[in-house]
Amino acid sequence: MRFLRTFLAVLGLTLLSGCGPSSSESLETGSQVQLLEEAGDFAKIETDSGQVGYVSAGLLKHRNTAEREAADHSHLLVQDAELWDAIPEQSPSPPPPRDRAAIDREQHTLNALFIGEETGKEVIAPGNVHYFVLDKQTNERCWRSIECIHPNCPGEKKNGREYYVFF
């Protein structure tokens, strides 16, 4: 009996001491990260301090590519997130419930695809503008894109897209 209790205690300590993935740090909303690879519900990222780990893929937002700055990051975190050293076995838990106003505020800052008026350059920027954004690198006006999903759409599908995208 004593052997069984000792065995169970050692087994419990082993399981609790990190046989599975562990959270090394908590990242704050707005943290700039570089996406390294997508892995199902999780994404492998590198933080600005050089740490590599996994976060819930649903918490990443592509950076604004209309900005002039030469960014060393590809994404931002939309909420606080745990950085895991390996992919957790369980899917990420859903975020806590929020009121409608908080959801609306977040949706207004989500990114959209804009297309350059002259060059056709594709720019990702927050979609909370009325019609267009200015690409700060080229000063080109970029209009919010539209996607034609009609099965017989006559538009040309480019860049490996399933549908025709235009402005």
Side-chain angles (χ1 to χ4, degrees):
M1 186 64 143
R2 183 178 166 131
F3 171 76
L4 182 60
R5 275 187 279 176
T6 305
F7 174 75
L8 291 175
V10 170
L11 179 64
L13 285 175
T14 303
L15 291 174
L16 291 175
S17 66
C19 282
S22 63
S23 171
S24 59
E25 149 176 22
S26 182
L27 302 174
E28 294 181 0
T29 301
S31 295
Q32 299 176 347
V33 299
Q34 180 70 32
L35 177 64
L36 302 176
E37 106 184 48
E38 292 183 44
D41 291 335
F42 293 91
K44 185 176 185 180
I45 61 156
E46 182 177 358
T47 66
D48 55 358
S49 64
Q51 288 183 290
V52 175
Y54 293 86
V55 296
S56 173
L59 301 180
L60 293 177
K61 171 182 163 181
H62 200 287
R63 75 172 181 86
N64 183 349
T65 60
E67 296 297 319
R68 181 178 292 259
E69 70 209 33
D72 58 352
H73 66 284
S74 62
H75 290 74
L76 302 171
L77 284 172
V78 297
Q79 291 181 5
D80 292 351
E82 293 295 318
L83 181 64
W84 300 93
D85 58 3
I87 299 175
E89 292 178 11
Q90 291 183 324
S91 293
S93 57
R98 297 174 291 160
D99 63 13
R100 176 170 274 178
I103 294 169
D104 286 344
R105 280 191 304 275
E106 182 180 328
Q107 285 184 337
H108 285 294
T109 63
L110 293 177
N111 288 329
L113 178 66
F114 294 81
I115 300 175
E117 187 173 76
E118 300 293 325
T119 64
K121 178 181 178 184
E122 295 182 357
V123 172
I124 296 172
N128 59 350
V129 298
H130 209 47
Y131 294 110
F132 64 88
V133 296
L134 285 178
D135 181 2
K136 293 184 179 169
Q137 294 175 341
T138 62
N139 284 331
E140 179 179 21
R141 190 171 21 201
C142 300
W143 295 89
R144 186 150 185 174
S145 67
I146 301 169
E147 186 175 59
C148 179
I149 61 170
H150 191 278
N152 297 323
C153 181
E156 181 184 349
K157 299 168 186 157
K158 296 180 183 174
N159 300 333
R161 288 201 170 83
E162 185 177 357
Y163 301 108
Y164 174 55
V165 178
F166 61 99
F167 66 86

